[in-house]
Amino acid sequence: MTAADGTPVRIGVFGLLGSGNLGNDGSLEAVLGYLRRRHPEAAVDALCGGPEAVTARFGIPATRLHWYRGEYRTASRASAIVGKGLGKLVDVFRTAAWVRRHDVVIVPGMGVLEATLPLRPWGFPYSLFLLCATGRLFGTGVALVGVGAAAIGNRPTRTLVRWSARLAGYRSYRDALSRDAMRAMGVDTTRDEVYPDLAFALPTPRASAPSDPPGPVAVGVMAFHGGNDDRARAEEIHRRYLDGTIRFVRALVEDGRPVRLLTGDTCDAPVVAAILDAVDSPLVTAAEAASLADLMNETAAADTVVATRYHNLICALKVGTPTLALSYAAKSDALMAHMGLEAYCHPAREVDADRLLEQFRELEKRSAELRQTLTERNLAAVQRLEHQFNSLTAALFPAADHAHAQRETS
């Protein structure tokens, strides 16, 4: 794919990529796969949180998202506060210069329009606003592809998110709730489509057959402290979540079930350590997943999955393993309903180990039926995502879309 003057089209990818969150990096992997299949001549680079990790894993040039390297550390000293403030100013010019070098910038998936986890307005929402505003200023198309959104209580964060969405040239969402949330914030979503999460476009390993007697259970955990509006109760919420999860894992071990602990972000490691310390059984082990592919292999090897993080759920559902969600946001409930498992959600804020165990046993009784349901839903998801990529090509690369259509009909 080349521009009118014969030079390769310059595509940027943007976000908290390479920063230890497996779901974010999986979304990037899906978009890069699409670009390499459909637009192999494009020159692709990234503006992201972990440029070294992105370059090492995906083989594309990458630039650090923030000038100030301590951006996501709490600023308590005067020098740190000054550094952060100066960084916000420098980032205006750095972002503008990066955007100006591109024909198109893609924000691949992620919950960039939500604040379901603790988030400050001057963090990523500010960075996203800079991207979308400078894209509009310089005529660079900005595409928010398969993103998540949710109602936001904090007014400065809500304002930045609303204007980011308005200024983007293309928007699609990973569920209807996200589109509804942006419409409620005052964004015209008339032309915006809803598709499955981008991770459903990744290659799928084969799931193992259920064991007899019952085999391993994968338990995906999270450093969960509530959402953006729960900061005053964060430690209480975390303690309740951790205590309930420990009790559940202990009950599985008492039944003789091997338990494999999964994470989705580097910040989840202390939760794994706390569970291993509290249960202290050789039946409980921890996976060291470095990608969504690793997580899919882990969930494919399990008889059943119980998970908290959104992309832990997606990995389990994608490989067809019966799954129970420890749900911390409406997006998890929507995902489970879309995949036919709406009855198997449990609130992460109020983990009741006894009730969770009841739901788990009910889930296992319906394992064969639910595996068939997941097979059908996954096939539909892949087909919808092919439509997503066709739509993206038509919107951002019309010349390439015309050539693709000619190849399809020849």
Side-chain angles (χ1 to χ4, degrees), residues 172-315:
S172 65
Y173 306 97
R174 63 189 180 190
D175 52 47
L177 289 175
S178 296
R179 183 171 60 183
D180 292 347
M182 295 315 299
R183 183 184 298 122
M185 281 190 230
V187 177
D188 181 2
T189 62
T190 305
R191 300 174 63 185
D192 299 353
E193 294 286 344
V194 173
Y195 299 100
D197 190 273
L198 289 168
F200 281 102
L202 296 173
T204 308
R206 184 183 298 275
S208 61
S211 307
D212 187 19
V217 180
V219 177
V221 301
M222 177 179 179
F224 179 61
H225 294 79
N228 212 43
D229 299 327
D230 297 319
R231 291 178 183 273
R233 301 176 50 237
E235 287 310 312
E236 173 194 344
I237 289 170
H238 179 66
R239 174 47 55 186
R240 184 174 298 170
Y241 168 79
L242 183 57
D243 287 349
T245 304
I246 287 171
R247 286 187 59 205
F248 175 69
V249 171
R250 188 176 286 131
L252 292 177
V253 169
E254 289 171 356
D255 283 347
R257 301 293 292 272
V259 175
R260 188 73 161 162
L261 299 178
L262 310 179
T263 60
D265 195 296
T266 51
C267 69
D268 300 331
V271 179
V272 170
I275 295 172
L276 291 173
D277 183 63
V279 179
D280 191 23
S281 166
L283 288 175
V284 184
T285 57
E288 295 184 0
S291 66
L292 290 193
D294 291 344
L295 280 177
M296 281 189 269
N297 284 326
E298 292 285 351
T299 56
D303 276 8
T304 310
V305 175
V306 179
T308 310
R309 280 199 178 272
Y310 184 74
H311 280 93
N312 276 197
L313 294 173
I314 286 178
C315 287

Side-chain angles (χ1 to χ4, degrees), residues 89-120:
L89 179 60
V90 174
D91 284 345
V92 173
F93 300 98
R94 292 178 71 254
T95 302
W98 183 81
V99 168
R100 195 172 187 177
R101 295 197 299 268
H102 295 84
D103 300 296
V104 173
V105 174
I106 296 174
V107 180
M110 306 176 285
V112 296
L113 303 178
E114 64 181 53
T116 51
L117 298 176
L119 183 70
R120 299 293 190 188

Side-chain angles (χ1 to χ4, degrees), residues 83-161:
K84 274 197 172 185
L86 179 60
K88 298 303 173 191
L89 179 60
V90 174
D91 284 345
V92 173
F93 300 98
R94 292 178 71 254
T95 302
W98 183 81
V99 168
R100 195 172 187 177
R101 295 197 299 268
H102 295 84
D103 300 296
V104 173
V105 174
I106 296 174
V107 180
M110 306 176 285
V112 296
L113 303 178
E114 64 181 53
T116 51
L117 298 176
L119 183 70
R120 299 293 190 188
W122 54 83
F124 187 77
Y126 173 77
S127 300
L128 183 65
F129 173 74
L130 289 183
L131 170 74
C132 296
T134 54
R136 180 62 65 91
L137 178 65
F138 296 123
T140 299
V142 174
L144 308 180
V145 181
V147 298
I152 298 172
N154 180 274
R155 181 174 293 179
T157 303
R158 185 171 65 248
T159 299
L160 288 168
V161 164

